[in-house]
């Protein structure tokens, strides 16, 4: 009975411990793990050095800035409704 328990214990331990085997070859999937994600992410970036560029101030005088600001603010105001008069000529 003791021999059977040892054999069953070994039969259970071998598959469990084989998962910890470090002698397995590295497969192609393991070598390229995450490469697809990195490629897709990199291909969506147009200019990777965009944050490094120094942008100089564009000179605008105060009159032009105020004019643009006023146009922007005017865009939010509601226009007054236009009154429409209907004139029926020769109708019942």
């Amino acid at each position: 009975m003791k021999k059977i328990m040892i054999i069953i214990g070994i039969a259970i331990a071998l598959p469990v411990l084989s998962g910890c085997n470090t002698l397995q070859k590295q497969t192609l999937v393991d070598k390229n793990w995450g490469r697809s994600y990195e490629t897709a992410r990199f291909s969506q970036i147009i200019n990777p050095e965009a944050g490094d560029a120094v942008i100089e101030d564009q000179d605008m005088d105060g009159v032009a800035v105020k004019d643009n600001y006023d146009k922007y603010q005017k865009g939010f105001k509601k226009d007054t409704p236009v009154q429409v008069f209907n004139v029926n000529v020769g109708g019942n």
Side-chain angles (χ1 to χ4, degrees):
M1 184 70 166
K2 191 174 182 182
K3 261 188 175 180
I4 295 174
M5 293 302 280
I6 292 174
I7 292 173
I8 291 174
I10 291 173
I12 291 174
L14 283 177
V16 170
L17 294 177
S18 68
C20 301
N21 186 5
T22 59
L23 300 176
Q24 294 176 350
K25 288 185 178 180
Q26 189 176 17
T27 64
L28 190 59
V29 173
D30 293 333
K31 289 179 185 176
N32 296 318
W33 186 259
R35 182 99 24 114
S36 174
Y37 168 75
E38 292 171 1
T39 304
R41 185 171 166 258
F42 181 76
S43 66
Q44 293 176 10
I45 298 173
I46 293 173
N47 185 4
E49 289 88 24
D52 299 336
V54 177
I55 300 172
E56 296 181 13
D57 292 336
Q58 296 180 4
D59 295 330
M60 288 184 74
D61 59 342
V63 176
V65 172
K66 180 158 179 18
D67 185 44
N68 286 334
Y69 178 74
D70 290 339
K71 286 180 185 177
Y72 176 76
Q73 291 297 328
K74 192 186 292 185
F76 292 104
K77 293 181 182 177
K78 292 183 180 179
D79 294 333
T80 57
V82 178
Q83 293 181 355
V84 178
F85 296 103
N86 292 326
V87 179
N88 291 332
V89 178
N92 290 340

